[in-house]
Amino acid sequence: MLDPKIIRDQPEKIKKMIKDRAVEFDFDKMLELDKRRRNLIKETDELRKKRNQMSIEIGQAKKSNNDASDLLKQMGAISKTLDDLELTQKQVEKDFETLAYSIPNMLHESVPIGNDDSSNIVIREWGQIRKFDFKMKGHEEIAENLGVLDLQRASKIAGARFYFLKGDLVKLAYAISAFALEFFSEKGYSLIQPPYMINKKSMEGAVIAEDFKDVIYGIDDEDLYLIGTSEHAIAAMYTDEILDGKKLPDRFGSTSPCFRKEAGAHGKDQKGIFRVHQFEKFEQFVFAKPEDSWDEHEKMLKVTEEFYQKLEIPHRVVLLSSGDMGKVSAKTYDVEAWMPEQNAYREICSVSNCLDYQARRLKIRFRDKTNEDTQYIHTLNATLVAIERTIVSIIENFQTEDGHVIIPKVLQKYFGKEII
C-alpha cells in the first residue's frame, strides 16, 4: 500500500510507475473512488451531526409539550438517507481498498526501465565457469544414477514436481542447512522458524493477493494458506504493533519449507528438482528505519553473495528491471547461479527492499521516544539459500567423469565425507 499523500498529490508519478512496470492498473478509477469516498465521509458526518442536533430539538420539544411530529418526520428522512449513504460508502470503501491493496510499489530511481528480463543489468560475476573435458550430465540423471533421487515414485504418490531425496542427497540438504544456521549466527541474525501456514489477512498484508491466487496452496474450509516463503509470515509477525526504534534494525534468519503451485512454468525447469512444489529455504528478513533500509539492502546482498562464494558456486548479481520484478518490491537484485546443463545463469536468490509498502498494509510502525510521532517501518527480504536449487547447482558444477559429485569444502565437515 502506498502513502495516500503520494497518490493524491503526485498522480503523474504514480502513472509513470505503472507504465514503467508494464502492468495493468486503473489508477484513474482509484482516484475517482478516493474522491467519492472522502465526499461520502463528509456527507455522512454532516448528516450524523444534523440527526444528533434534531434529536436534541425533539427532546426539547417534547419536554416543552410542543408538537414534534414534523421534526420526527424530518429525522426519519435523514436517518433513511444516512442509512443509504452508509451502505454506499461501505461499498465504495471496499472497492477503493481492493485497488489500494493491489497498486504496485514505487520504484527506486536506480531500477532499469524495461518490460522484461532483457532490460536487467548484470552488476558483477563471481567464480570461474568450469569447462568440462568429458560429457557432462544434468543433475537429475546423475542423482538418479547414484540412487539418491526418485522422481518417478514421488510423482506416483503426489504428482509432478515432487521428489524423494534419498541417502547422501538427504545428508547434503542437511549439510547445507547446518552451514546456513551457523552462517546466520556468525552474521548476528536472530534465528526464527515461522508457522508453515498463514491466514488471509496476514497474507494480504505481505503480498498482493490477486497475484498469488494461482501460486499459494489454500486449505479447504479454513482461513489458512501454506506459506510460499517465510517472508510473508515474518512480515506479518508485528502486525498492529509499534516497535522500539532504538532496537532497530531487527534482523531475522529464517528456516522453513515453502509450498508453491508454480502454475504455468515450463521448459527445462520441469526437469529434476530445479522448480518444484515443495522446497526448503533460508531467508533473511529485516525491519529497518527508513534512513537505514538502503544500506541494509546492500548488506543483505553481500551476505547472500558471501554464502555462495563459500560454496564455490559460480554466480552473478543482476539488478532486475521494472517489468521483471515483483510488485511489492521497490528494488530487487537476483543472485543467479551457474547451471551447466542449461548453459546459463539461473535465479537462485532474490534480495528486495519493500520500503514501507508492507508495513502500511500491516500497520507496523516504530518510534524512538515515548512521546514521538510514529513512523512506518521498512521491510526487506533476501534469500540466503534455496536448498533444492543449490543442490542442483552443486551436483552439476561438481560432477566427476565417472558420475559422482564432489562436496564443496565448506560443507564437508557437515556432510562427513568428500564425495557422493
Side-chain angles (χ1 to χ4, degrees), residues 95-114:
D95 293 342
F96 173 77
E97 187 176 273
T98 298
L99 287 175
Y101 269 70
S102 59
I103 190 170
N105 201 352
M106 299 303 295
L107 294 166
H108 188 261
E109 59 186 12
S110 64
V111 172
I113 306 304

Side-chain angles (χ1 to χ4, degrees), residues 110-218:
S110 64
V111 172
I113 306 304
N115 293 341
D116 51 39
D117 60 4
S118 64
S119 299
N120 294 349
I121 297 175
V122 176
I123 303 298
R124 52 184 167 268
E125 297 180 357
W126 185 93
Q128 186 69 37
I129 292 175
R130 182 179 174 187
K131 294 182 179 179
F132 294 92
D133 56 5
F134 58 87
K135 185 178 179 181
M136 67 91 178
K137 300 181 180 70
H139 74 278
E140 72 283 358
E141 182 180 355
I142 296 170
E144 288 180 338
N145 288 343
L146 289 170
V148 294
L149 178 66
D150 193 331
L151 299 172
Q152 186 175 353
R153 289 189 176 94
S155 178
K156 181 170 62 177
I157 68 166
R161 300 187 190 236
F162 287 96
Y163 53 88
F164 280 109
L165 298 185
K166 301 170 66 178
D168 279 350
L169 219 55
V170 176
K171 291 175 64 178
L172 178 57
Y174 276 87
I176 297 169
S177 298
F179 174 49
L181 287 173
E182 185 176 298
F183 190 82
F184 265 147
S185 296
E186 290 174 355
K187 296 299 180 183
Y189 284 82
S190 299
L191 297 179
I192 190 167
Q193 180 175 296
Y196 298 162
M197 297 184 190
I198 186 172
N199 60 38
K200 185 176 182 180
K201 178 184 176 182
S202 298
M203 184 189 72
E204 289 182 342
V207 302
I208 296 176
E210 185 68 19
D211 294 345
F212 271 71
K213 66 179 182 179
D214 294 326
V215 178
I216 295 178
Y217 290 99

